[in-house]
Each structure stands twice: as C-alpha cells, then as structure tokens.
Amino acid sequence: MIDKKTLLASLLGASVVLPLPALAQDSSSDSDPVTLRMAYDADPVSLDIHEQLSGGILQLSHLTHDPLVRWTKDVKFEPRLAADWERIDDKTMRFTLRDGVKFHTGNDFTAEDVVWTINRLKRSADFKAIFDPIASATAIDEHTVEIKTHKPYPLVLNLATYIFPMDSEYYSGETEDGDPKDEIVKNGDSFASRHSSGTGPYEVVDRQQGVKVEFERFDDYWDKDSPGNVDRLVLTPIGENATRVSALLSGDVDFIAPVPPNDLDRVRADKNVELTTMSGTRIILMQLNQKRVEAFEDPRVRKAFNYAVNQQAIADRLMKGFATPAAQLSPKGYDGYNDSLEPRYDVEKAKELMKEAGYEDGFSVTMMAPNNRYVNDAKIAQAVATMLSRINIDVDLKTLPKAQYWGEFDDRAADIMMIGWHADTEDSANLFQYLTECPDPETGAGQYNAANYCNPELDEKVAQANVETDRAKRAEMLQAVEKALYDDAAFMPLHWQDLAWAAKKNVKLEPVVNVMNFPYLGDLVVEQ
C-alpha cells in the first residue's frame, strides 16, 4: 500500500524530502476530514528547530514536535513528553518520560533522544547561551533522564519548555554528499533544514519556501486526550497586512495572525469572524551598533537618540493603542521589571546632549528593519527615522522581508537594527543574555546583541542572579540590571507589542492561544 503522505508529496511536487513514515492504516471516520487554512505574516525560515531562536521556529516546533514541558495559558508548567519530574538535589532534576511515544518515522521516543537533543542545543549558536547552565544530561534508563547544572539553577523547568526532542536515529549519520545529518547551518542548506521527524501532532508533507507549508495529522500521535480535530493544516504566508485580513474576511482562509492594529475594528465588525486579543510581552527595540558608529560609544549620544523618539506617539498612532510604551526590556510581571523607569521623550534634551557630545550638527547612519516580522515594523522604523531627523540624524532606511532580514541581522549589516524579543523562559535574564550581554560566539551570549554593547559588570550580575534561588533577592538583582541599562541607554526601547489573532466563528481559537504567541494548534477544535 502506498502511504498517503508519500502520495500527496509526489502529487504536489514537494520541495521537502520527508522521513519514511511508519505504515499506518487510514483511520475511518463518519465525518469529513477537517482542513484549517491559515495565513501568517511569514512562514518558517527552516525546518531545523535549532537553527534559529525565533517565534516562527518555536511556533513550528509546537506543530511538528512536543516539548518536555509546556506553558499553560496562565503561565504554569504542564507535562508533555515529560510525564513527571522531581528535584534530586540543588543541581539535579530528574524527568520521567512518557512511554509509547513514536516519532513520525515510527522510531520509539526514548531518553537517549532527550540527551541527544540537549547536546545539539548546546552547540546551536542561537540556543547555547540558554543551555550554558546545563552541565550534563544522562539517560538513566529508557524513560528517565537526569539533567545536572553547573551550579544551583532555578530555571530548569523553564529550559525544559525549549527541549523539543528530535529523532536522534533519523538525524544520525551522513547524507549521500557526506554531510552530517545533525549539522546546524545558520541561514543555509542542511539535512535538518529540509527534513523533519518529531513527536508532534503534525507532519510536514509539503513545503515551498515563501509559498506554503502543508501539514497532516500524525496518525500515531501520543496525546489521545487532545481535543484537536484538525486533520490538515495549510499555512500560506501573506506579508501584506490588508491582504491577509481580506483573505480571512472573504473566506479564503480560516485563521490569520497577526491582526494589524489598523484592522482591529474592521475584523470586530464582521459577524462571521472572532477576534482574540491579549496583552503582549514582546519588546520591540532598536540597537545602536557601537562597532560601526564611533558616536554610539558615547552614552550621551545613545541617550539623545532615546530622548528623540516618542514611544507614546508610536503606540497611539501607528499601533492604535495596541502596544505599551517601554523604558526597559522586562514587561510588567517579570521579576526584572523596574517600576521606577519611565519612557523618556524630550527633543530639546536630546539636542542638548548631542551638542554636549560634540555632535550638534548630527551625522548619517544606516538602519535596517524587517517588513513582515513584527506588527507595523516597517512603519515603526520609518517613524523612528523621521523622529531622529529632528536632532540632525540622516537615516538611510532599508526594510526587508523576514527571510532576508535575519541574514543581514546576523551580519550586523546596518548601524541601527530593529529586533523584537519575547523571553520564552518568561524570565528577565533571558532578555539580558541575548540582547545586552557582551557578544561571545563561544558561549552564545549576546547572540542578538546587534549593538555590540558590552558591560562585563552587568553580565556578572545577571550570572549571579541566575544561581540565586531566593526569588525576592533575584528580582532585586534583575531590577538593578534594568536600571543600569536604562542609565547607560544601552538600547532604544520602543514598546511591548500586544497580540491579536482572528478566525472564523467555528474555529475555537481562544483556548489554544497564549501570551507566548505559540498557538497549540494540535489541540484546536473546528466545529463542523
């Protein structure tokens, strides 16, 4: 019997080579198969879930893989591939894994897959900073793993939300060209970037980059208690906001994200569509590259740039109130949130600082931003460029689609670059480790610090906070870091971006969306 996924891939001329799945009988059902047509502003840049630490890749991870532990809607931990866990001592956590779980290839999921995955994460350029506290992972038996940290570490369960076990047997060995199947190629071509085998609710059956990704429900998915009833997902990237919204309202797609602020009222007014919104924790900011622009080494210039930008106007006019102006990285509710810090906007003060620093006549800079990654990202960048002109800064702005932008970002190709960040550990230290720590390719620290800002004393404070198990003391330490970064004007914070999704009335979206912006579509119910 020809299995249905292979047949579908051949008929569609799939550009992705899929793992050979285990043979399974087609399930019979009295109802027609349920297809969800969805449109995001972009599609995943790769199938390798360790190639890039980004919202798009983590959204993909929750479709094709399962984490050991995942966040609930109220930001608590719930078991997934780890059925249980216990702390053995202050440096050791033991996880008991689910029995009977299969990968999409039919291979059994075991503790060795968890160990293999953690070791791979520790050599990923994007993930290794997060996993630096991990000293070792050991398979005690087929369904027990012990994770040891170098020092007492309070966030092991937070890290477990990043551990989506990969099929170690499938990714072992070499390709016909002699390349290791487990290699991680950033913004490049690799076996893992084109092949996928996880334990998740969906398998990729066709992928045409920038055109569409098709998924089918995995027949042997372990979570039989999941209410999800969607058999097939078709993800179409639609970068233009108005076009994406029109596709939903006209019935061409069933679910879209994000919903741009300008169209919130238009979506609310449609009786066939349900809008779901949520306050967000993703910080949008600009980074000033001190290695490219000598003036950015002067904190007076960095402060002047901050004083020149009106975050409230951006939130009110461009985001239509669908954002919260920011003065720091940590959103309210995080331990590092410092309520003494306020956004600063004072053009005259900015001019005084520029004059004091010897740059009264200004200078020219280049700026890059994506145009389909964050809500209104290109418009925000243009607004910032216009505001900076008031202190005689001539900005050469270039915006790019997400797929091209990240390569430029990794190359630090402009003097000012936009970045948005949500701490998927739901912890302030994650923000500091990736956005403000001194860049270090060996440890992965500062992996997304395009400012090349470096303050070793603050990095040490973050390191100390990461081994502090008293939460009140740890919060005090993290808040002190936020205050120091604010005083040093290490970056230009803009706002925390709110979240909005929209779907047809019969698509029960609200139960599966969350503040992390990782919709758990495996649990999605579509009423027929």
Side-chain angles (χ1 to χ4, degrees):
M1 181 177 76
I2 299 175
D3 110 274
K4 62 184 180 181
K5 297 176 181 64
T6 303
L7 178 60
L8 177 62
S10 64
L11 290 173
L12 293 172
S15 58
V16 174
V17 182
L18 305 169
L20 292 173
L23 291 176
Q25 297 296 322
D26 289 345
S27 58
S28 60
S29 173
D30 294 333
S31 60
D32 293 330
V34 177
T35 295
L36 181 78
R37 301 164 302 165
M38 50 192 285
Y40 283 173
D41 52 0
D43 55 336
V45 297
S46 173
L47 294 184
D48 187 346
I49 62 171
H50 297 163
E51 182 179 327
Q52 184 184 81
L53 178 51
S54 68
I57 290 295
L58 288 166
Q59 288 169 352
L60 172 70
S61 300
H62 281 284
L63 287 172
T64 56
H65 295 67
D66 269 302
L68 293 184
V69 176
R70 79 179 180 187
W71 297 105
T72 63
K73 202 173 186 69
D74 57 353
V75 200
K76 307 294 183 184
F77 297 113
E78 71 171 341
R80 294 306 289 167
L81 293 185
D84 199 6
W85 54 85
E86 62 176 323
R87 184 165 283 285
I88 305 303
D89 56 46
D90 62 357
K91 297 181 185 176
T92 308
M93 187 79 84
R94 178 178 295 165
F95 292 86
T96 301
L97 308 178
R98 294 188 188 276
D99 194 4
V101 176
K102 295 282 189 182
F103 285 104
H104 297 158
T105 57
N107 292 331
D108 291 327
F109 163 65
T110 71
E112 292 294 345
D113 297 301
V114 177
V115 172
W116 185 94
T117 298
I118 291 173
N119 289 335
R120 190 173 191 260
L121 283 161
K122 286 176 69 66
R123 60 185 176 84
S124 163
D126 276 28
F127 285 88
K128 62 184 175 182
I130 295 178
F131 285 87
D132 186 58
I134 303 299
S136 65
T138 305
I140 305 302
D141 58 39
E142 274 202 351
H143 297 101
T144 309
V145 173
E146 282 191 354
I147 296 178
K148 291 184 178 291
T149 56
H150 295 288
K151 299 176 182 179
Y153 185 64
L155 302 176
V156 174
L157 285 179
N158 301 59
L159 291 189
T161 66
Y162 280 106
I163 302 172
F164 294 82
M166 296 176 70
D167 187 345
S168 60
E169 182 179 341
Y170 179 66
Y171 290 101
S172 294
E174 295 182 345
T175 66
E176 292 181 356
D177 296 329
D179 297 320
K181 290 183 178 180
D182 66 345
E183 73 174 336
I184 304 170
V185 179
K186 186 86 165 149
N187 303 313
D189 184 39
S190 69
F191 180 84
S193 72
R194 293 177 284 105
H195 298 72
S196 177
S197 176
T199 62
Y202 293 101
E203 300 178 78
V204 177
V205 295
D206 182 38
R207 175 174 178 255
Q208 299 171 40
Q209 181 71 48
V211 179
K212 69 175 178 178
V213 188
E214 295 195 25
F215 304 84
E216 274 194 7
R217 190 86 179 185
F218 179 38
D219 291 335
D220 288 332
Y221 186 47
W222 65 269
D223 189 359
K224 304 306 180 185
D225 293 328
S226 171
N229 70 338
V230 176
D231 300 293
R232 182 168 169 262
L233 294 172
V234 181
L235 167 60
T236 302
I238 303 178
E240 212 285 318
N241 287 335
T243 305
R244 187 168 62 255
V245 171
S246 294
L248 175 66
L249 300 185
S250 67
D252 290 337
V253 299
D254 309 306
F255 161 47
I256 65 168
V259 180
N262 289 346
D263 289 297
L264 292 173
D265 291 341
R266 180 181 169 205
V267 172
R268 284 192 186 101
D270 192 298
K271 61 180 174 45
N272 298 314
V273 169
E274 189 79 32
L275 178 69
T276 302
T277 63
M278 193 176 294
S279 295
T281 57
R282 180 180 299 280
I283 181 71
I284 306 296
L285 65 148
M286 293 290 190
Q287 296 176 321
L288 312 176
N289 194 325
Q290 298 181 31
K291 284 191 174 180
R292 289 177 59 100
V293 179
E294 183 179 357
F296 290 159
E297 295 177 3
D298 190 328
R300 294 171 297 184
V301 173
R302 300 197 299 268
K303 287 179 182 178
F305 274 53
N306 274 272
Y307 276 112
V309 174
N310 188 342
Q311 295 108 315
Q312 188 68 56
I314 291 173
D316 290 344
R317 297 170 194 169
L318 288 181
M319 299 298 289
K320 304 297 182 183
F322 207 61
T324 303
Q328 58 192 303
L329 296 176
S330 300
K332 192 171 184 178
Y334 278 31
D335 285 346
Y337 176 76
N338 190 323
D339 60 10
S340 71
L341 306 180
E342 297 287 343
R344 39 191 166 195
Y345 170 60
D346 186 333
V347 176
E348 293 308 312
K349 177 68 173 176
K351 290 178 179 179
E352 289 174 13
L353 286 166
M354 290 292 284
K355 183 176 181 179
E356 183 182 326
Y359 294 100
E360 183 177 11
D361 295 332
F363 50 85
S364 298
V365 294
T366 57
M367 178 189 289
M368 278 190 184
N371 57 27
N372 65 346
R373 175 61 189 94
Y374 313 114
V375 177
N376 285 341
D377 40 18
K379 292 181 180 178
I380 291 166
Q382 183 59 62
V384 171
T386 300
M387 292 172 182
L388 290 176
S389 70
R390 291 180 290 189
I391 58 170
N392 297 320
I393 301 300
D394 182 19
V395 178
D396 179 8
L397 172 62
K398 181 178 183 181
T399 65
L400 298 165
K402 179 177 74 171
Q404 285 79 52
Y405 180 70
W406 290 120
E408 297 294 315
F409 185 94
D410 289 339
D411 292 339
R412 310 301 192 244
D415 305 329
I416 303 175
M417 304 203 80
M418 177 183 284
I419 181 75
W421 198 263
H422 168 253
D424 304 304
T425 56
E426 302 304 319
D427 182 73
S428 298
N430 176 277
L431 294 159
F432 306 141
Q433 287 171 320
Y434 277 89
L435 300 177
T436 65
E437 285 194 356
C438 301
D440 185 344
E442 292 299 315
T443 65
Q447 177 71 9
Y448 285 82
N449 178 1
N452 285 298
Y453 174 82
C454 184
N455 187 326
E457 290 183 9
L458 290 185
D459 294 357
E460 179 57 31
K461 287 182 179 179
V462 175
Q464 292 170 3
N466 275 344
V467 296
E468 178 54 67
T469 55
D470 183 308
R471 182 167 179 176
K473 290 181 181 178
R474 187 171 186 272
E476 187 177 334
M477 297 164 77
L478 294 172
Q479 289 168 26
V481 172
E482 284 285 15
K483 178 64 164 60
L485 291 169
Y486 179 86
D487 291 342
D488 212 15
F491 49 87
M492 295 170 61
L494 298 177
H495 55 259
W496 293 290
Q497 175 182 295
D498 287 351
L499 301 170
W501 308 265
K504 290 182 177 178
K505 290 279 189 182
N506 66 323
V507 178
K508 299 307 173 183
L509 202 57
E510 197 277 335
V512 302
V513 296
N514 48 59
V515 73
M516 287 74 65
N517 197 17
F518 307 147
Y520 298 151
L521 297 180
D523 295 334
L524 180 68
V525 172
V526 175
E527 295 181 346
Q528 293 180 281

